[in-house]
Amino acid sequence: MDLNTITQVVRRPSDRPGADWHEGDAWLAGGTWLYSTEQPDLRRLIDLTALPWEPLVPTGDGLEIGATCTIHDLHAFRWPLRWTAGILIRESCEAFLSSFKVWNAATVGGNICMSLPAGPMITLTVALEARYELWAPDGSVRFVDALDFVTGDHRNVLAPGEILRRVTVPEHALRKRTAHRRFTLTRLGRSTVFLVGTQRPGGNDLLLTITAGTTRPLRIAFDSLPDARTLRQRLDAVPADVWFADPNGTPDHRRHLTRHFAEEICRELTAGDLA
């Protein structure tokens, strides 16, 4: 879509682009959402893709993902064998409701900052206990747990002019065992629910991440794999207004699917212990 209110595109912003931020600006990375609908309040786009941000940097502490890393590059990443949770990277990329053309433009940071319930990069980073590095226009930096970033449907903690710089995924989370379940109404449809269970190597714990079916991501921790009754009690304690409603599912439908798939995840991780 043509954005006919835009009067300027900053192609080469400064290394700290927030310093020049003013009302009517928008950060431009992949632009897959910016160009999909009218943006009557915008006057200027600041192109972040010109900045020399490394897309993927494995470190001794885990993995750093630059906010402008494309979905294509993330999907193509070959993680070390010791990162048993690395399969979630591929599964989350493939959960996008998009074509390969979108993969080459859409970015990790853009999907997170859109803060939609079905955002698969939100699922990935919350499940892997990531932290987000945020840059403010005044030059300050703060770090936010991925779980706390999204506050509702299309809402997050970003202040005006604040920018997501990178995502840091810790080594200990990348070494966990995983099980996941995702449901869509059609084979290539948007996620109705997307659940991920992770477990420490050799442990019996469970960290259950619930997304797509809720307006914001949830994480429920268990010291040991719960029985069906305990699991249902914890899920039933989720406030009713957190369950999401849209054409892909009612809150009751999503709650039912979440209960069902959470039990399957528990059984899968239990079977892994016995293997």
Side-chain angles (χ1 to χ4, degrees):
M1 174 177 289
D2 292 334
L3 301 182
N4 55 21
T5 63
I6 300 300
T7 60
Q8 183 183 6
V9 178
V10 180
R11 293 294 186 186
R12 296 188 179 277
S14 64
D15 291 340
R16 304 287 298 200
D20 298 325
W21 175 270
H22 54 71
E23 187 175 353
D25 286 354
W27 304 118
L28 173 63
T32 53
W33 178 76
L34 276 176
Y35 287 104
S36 70
T37 187
E38 295 182 8
Q39 308 288 348
D41 297 328
L42 297 185
R43 300 293 179 269
R44 188 172 70 152
L45 302 179
I46 303 173
D47 188 355
L48 301 178
T49 60
L51 296 173
W53 293 353
E54 288 290 334
L56 295 156
V57 182
T59 71
D61 296 323
L63 176 65
E64 294 181 358
I65 307 173
T68 53
C69 175
T70 66
I71 305 307
H72 172 273
D73 286 347
L74 183 62
H75 186 265
F77 175 64
R78 295 190 177 185
W79 58 87
L81 291 177
R82 68 180 185 277
W83 290 356
T84 49
I87 188 63
L88 288 178
I89 295 174
R90 183 169 299 158
E91 294 292 340
S92 298
C93 290
E94 292 176 358
F96 266 89
L97 176 59
S98 61
S99 68
F100 73 92
K101 293 182 289 185
V102 173
W103 274 26
N104 282 292
T107 62
V108 173
N111 187 252
I112 291 171
C113 292
M114 276 293 297
S115 301
L116 298 176
M121 296 297 98
I122 298 169
T123 307
L124 172 68
T125 55
V126 172
L128 294 183
E129 304 166 54
R131 287 202 314 165
Y132 300 159
E133 181 180 330
L134 309 181
W135 288 2
D138 64 5
S140 61
V141 177
R142 64 174 174 140
F143 297 88
V144 177
D145 191 307
L147 178 64
D148 300 324
F149 182 80
V150 176
T151 58
D153 179 18
H154 204 30
R155 301 200 309 271
N156 58 49
V157 302
L158 285 173
E162 202 168 25
I163 187 172
L164 173 59
R165 167 61 183 88
R166 65 167 59 85
V167 176
T168 301
V169 183
E171 174 85 9
H172 75 86
L174 288 163
R175 288 176 175 265
K176 286 188 172 186
R177 300 172 54 217
T178 69
H180 70 277
R181 294 292 188 276
R182 176 173 171 259
F183 177 85
T184 62
L185 292 178
T186 60
R187 188 173 70 87
L188 298 177
R190 177 172 291 181
S191 300
T192 300
V193 295
F194 194 170
L195 279 71
V196 177
T198 63
Q199 186 180 71
R200 290 181 291 107
N204 190 43
D205 60 308
L206 171 66
L207 193 64
L208 181 66
T209 297
I210 303 168
T211 60
T214 50
T215 57
R216 56 181 172 82
L218 303 178
R219 259 193 332 227
I220 303 176
F222 300 88
D223 292 332
S224 60
L225 284 169
D227 57 31
R229 180 180 179 182
T230 301
L231 179 61
R232 176 161 291 207
Q233 287 176 339
R234 294 289 297 275
L235 293 175
D236 287 347
V238 174
D241 61 356
V242 174
W243 296 101
F244 187 49
D246 74 352
N248 295 290
T250 65
D252 285 345
H253 178 53
R254 288 176 149 114
R255 185 186 295 110
H256 169 75
L257 290 172
T258 298
R259 289 170 176 165
H260 175 73
F261 288 136
E263 291 181 7
E264 285 194 351
I265 286 173
C266 285
R267 288 197 294 270
E268 181 175 331
L269 291 174
T270 300
D273 285 338
L274 300 175

